């Protein structure tokens, strides 16, 4: 069975679902990849037996041959449902990767799998809490280390002695195991930090990496990252400190961690720890503090609405719902450095590839699950606008567009257009980060655009500079 594919910036992954009815050999061949391009092949087993490729499904085989060489998988399979995932690794100069995937004749092809939820949107699975990955294909990592760490042979040790022993993250006084509540909090901390770094091509993970994955060992090294040690009270350094990091240490050739002293962050609370992690990792990436004329750490401002209360990540955002990367636009800012330029310009990684087209002519079709709209996306840059198209047979349109549910960075501006591109409706409610439409229109084709936006003036609001991050589109359009 042969399947032809073509990847564009707005369609980065093809997933084919098929069933093996008798134990046997699965043979997959990805060939005729367009010249100058590259695509990789992965095989997943539907371990949850729910017919959907989602978090927790086992990656049983993969082929990651470079350039446009064929990718081949031979796998001895048991009965069950499998997914063949074809993903571009390096897009060609024209932004398109063409390929052919050959599936075994002995399998029953069920079709292209429905759009799957990103890992960050997956429900909590307690036995997966130490294998979470926000962007598993990225070469660079931010490793959240919750289970205790002994630090040796680093600059920390030269100044403060060796070894430095950090206990496991703990909120109940028992460091020998993680309670159900602690497991859930770890998951939610990871979700919040993953949202802060979602625009970038970096993986926020709780999975133990190899030593080499944390060190930039040479100028030719393409994979490195930073360890974030989370736990304890930091008494070896100074009582009451929330966290520590060496500037620019993300790029060092040693496993020199960032420290988060969770006992000093509201007793290890979800938001307080997550804000500290992103802040200290920011230092490791080269960022300095955002303050104002009276405070080294700017605590932000509100505008009469809790949901849109704002603070910079490199300040102190523990009391604000919306925290963002900043370039010091707020009144009295002490630091005008461009966080986004620094993060993406000197640490080996840039922005994620754009997931959807930026114009009506390149609009992607909305995805559906059981007849309801279910689409996920990311505003990666502040000039990014994601476009979608859909058909409505009745004209009844009810859509909710929401930023990520925990620690959102994105304030959404949504616009609805008719088939000729005429603007019909705009949604950007004051005091809310979400947008929605509930309209009764004529049947026909429509377009939806999603953009990050600011709010009001910079004394009590914010610009669209840091309005980046994940969003979901749900609802119905009576297709």
């Amino acid at each position: 069975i042969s399947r032809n594919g073509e990847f564009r910036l707005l369609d980065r992954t093809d997933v084919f679902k098929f069933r093996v009815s008798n134990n046997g050999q699965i043979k997959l061949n990805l060939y005729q990849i367009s010249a100058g391009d590259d695509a990789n092949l992965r095989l997943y087993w539907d371990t949850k037996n729910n017919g959907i490729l989602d978090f927790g499904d086992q990656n049983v085989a993969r082929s990651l041959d470079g350039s446009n060489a064929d990718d081949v998988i031979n796998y001895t399979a048991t009965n069950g449902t499998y997914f063949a995932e074809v993903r571009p690794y390096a897009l060609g100069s024209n932004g398109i990767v063409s390929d052919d995937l050959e599936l075994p004749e002995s399998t029953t092809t069920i079709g292209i799998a429905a759009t799957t939820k990103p890992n960050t949107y997956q429900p909590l699975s307690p036995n997966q809490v130490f294998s979470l990955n926000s962007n598993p294909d990225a070469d660079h990592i931010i490793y959240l280390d919750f289970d205790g760490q002994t630090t040796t042979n680093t600059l920390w040790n030269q100044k403060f002695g060796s070894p430095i022993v950090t206990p496991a993250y703990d909120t109940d006084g028992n460091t020998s195991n993680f309670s159900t509540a602690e497991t859930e909090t770890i998951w939610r901390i990871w979700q919040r930090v993953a949202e802060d770094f979602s625009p970038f091509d970096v993986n926020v993970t709780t999975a133990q990496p190899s030593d080499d994955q944390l060190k930039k060992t040479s100028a030719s090294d393409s994979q490195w990252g930073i360890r974030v040690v989370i736990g304890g009270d930091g008494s070896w350094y100074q009582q009451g400190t929330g966290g520590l990091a060496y500037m620019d240490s993300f790029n060092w050739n040693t496993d020199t961690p960032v420290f988060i002293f969770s006992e000093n962050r509201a007793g290890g609370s979800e938001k307080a720890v997550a804000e500290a992690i992103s802040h200290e990792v920011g230092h490791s990436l080269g960022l300095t503090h955002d303050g104002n004329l009276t405070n080294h750490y700017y605590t932000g401002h509100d505008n009469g609405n809790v949901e849109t209360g704002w603070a910079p990540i490199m300040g102190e955002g523990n009391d604000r719902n919306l925290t963002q990367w900043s370039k010091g636009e707020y009144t009295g800012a002490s630091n005008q450095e461009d966080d986004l330029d620094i993060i993406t310009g000197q640490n080996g990684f840039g922005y994620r590839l754009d997931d959807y087209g930026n114009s009506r002519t390149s609009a992607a079709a909305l995805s559906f699950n059981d007849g309801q709209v279910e689409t996920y996306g990311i505003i990666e840059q502040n000039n990014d606008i994601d476009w979608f198209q859909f058909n409505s047979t009745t004209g009844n349109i009810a859509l909710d567009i929401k930023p990520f549910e925990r620690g959102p960075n994105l304030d959404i501006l949504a616009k609805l257009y008719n088939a000729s591109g005429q603007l019909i409706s705009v949604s950007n409610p004051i005091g809310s980060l979400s947008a929605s439409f509930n309209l009764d229109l004529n049947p026909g084709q429509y377009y939806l655009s999603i953009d990050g936006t600011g709010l009001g003036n910079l004394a009590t609001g914010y610009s669209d500079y840091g309005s980046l991050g994940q969003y979901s589109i749900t609802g119905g359009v009576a297709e």
Side-chain angles (χ1 to χ4, degrees), residues 49-342:
N49 198 31
N50 61 3
I52 300 172
L53 177 58
D54 54 13
F55 183 75
D57 285 341
Q58 185 178 356
N59 180 200
V60 294
R62 61 183 179 176
S63 177
L64 311 177
D65 287 341
S67 68
N68 66 331
D70 292 356
D71 284 281
V72 178
I73 287 177
N74 288 291
Y75 178 72
T76 302
T78 57
N79 295 349
T81 299
Y82 292 82
F83 303 95
E85 179 192 74
V86 184
R87 177 176 296 193
Y89 179 74
L91 291 174
S93 59
N94 62 355
I96 299 173
V97 176
S98 299
D99 67 272
D100 282 292
L101 174 65
E102 186 175 10
L103 302 173
E105 292 286 350
S106 59
T107 63
T108 301
T109 303
I110 302 170
I112 297 178
T115 297
T116 57
K117 289 184 178 181
N119 288 350
T120 47
Y121 280 89
Q122 295 290 342
L124 171 63
S125 178
N127 62 347
Q128 299 284 343
V129 77
F130 293 108
S131 58
L132 300 169
N133 292 281
S134 66
N135 185 10
D137 291 329
D139 285 332
H140 298 83
I141 64 172
I142 298 168
Y143 169 46
L144 308 187
D145 187 350
F146 287 95
D147 60 359
Q149 172 69 7
T150 299
T151 303
T152 58
N153 301 318
T154 71
L155 192 55
W156 296 118
N157 301 108
Q158 293 179 29
K159 292 190 174 184
F160 299 101
S162 187
I164 296 171
V165 179
T166 303
Y169 170 79
D170 173 51
T171 60
D172 62 7
N174 181 1
T175 59
S176 63
N177 58 61
F178 292 104
S179 67
T180 300
E182 287 171 331
T183 298
E184 182 173 351
T185 303
I186 288 170
W187 170 58
R188 295 195 183 282
I189 290 170
W190 168 78
Q191 284 185 306
R192 286 178 176 271
V193 178
E195 164 66 358
D196 289 340
F197 290 93
S198 63
F200 313 119
D201 193 19
V202 65
N203 181 25
V204 179
T205 181
T206 61
Q208 172 73 51
S210 67
D211 287 346
D212 284 347
Q213 287 178 291
L214 294 168
K215 303 174 184 177
K216 185 179 181 181
T217 56
S218 68
S220 61
D221 193 356
S222 62
Q223 294 183 323
W224 69 87
I226 193 77
R227 181 193 300 267
V228 184
V229 177
I230 305 156
D233 63 3
S235 56
W236 59 268
Y237 176 76
Q238 180 177 307
Q239 288 285 358
T241 300
L244 291 173
Y246 278 112
M247 287 287 293
D248 300 307
S249 54
F250 188 90
N251 298 297
W252 289 3
N253 63 359
T254 58
D255 179 9
T256 301
V258 164
F259 288 98
I260 304 299
F261 305 126
S262 53
E263 292 181 21
N264 302 335
R265 294 293 295 177
S269 78
E270 167 196 333
K271 179 169 172 58
V273 171
E275 293 291 345
I277 291 171
S278 295
H279 178 107
E280 297 300 339
V281 171
H283 286 317
S284 80
L285 295 169
L287 305 182
T288 57
H289 286 145
D290 287 335
N292 62 9
L293 299 177
T294 60
N295 198 327
H296 192 55
Y297 300 89
Y298 184 55
T299 57
H301 49 257
D302 64 38
N303 35 64
N305 293 285
V306 172
E307 188 171 344
T308 53
W310 181 91
I313 291 172
M314 296 310 296
E316 172 55 83
N318 199 38
D319 295 327
R320 307 298 177 191
N321 180 58
L322 180 65
T323 56
Q324 297 178 336
W325 303 109
S326 170
K327 61 176 181 178
E329 298 172 296
Y330 56 89
T331 302
S334 61
N335 176 13
Q336 280 78 41
E337 71 182 6
D338 190 323
D339 287 356
L340 299 176
D341 275 0
I342 293 171

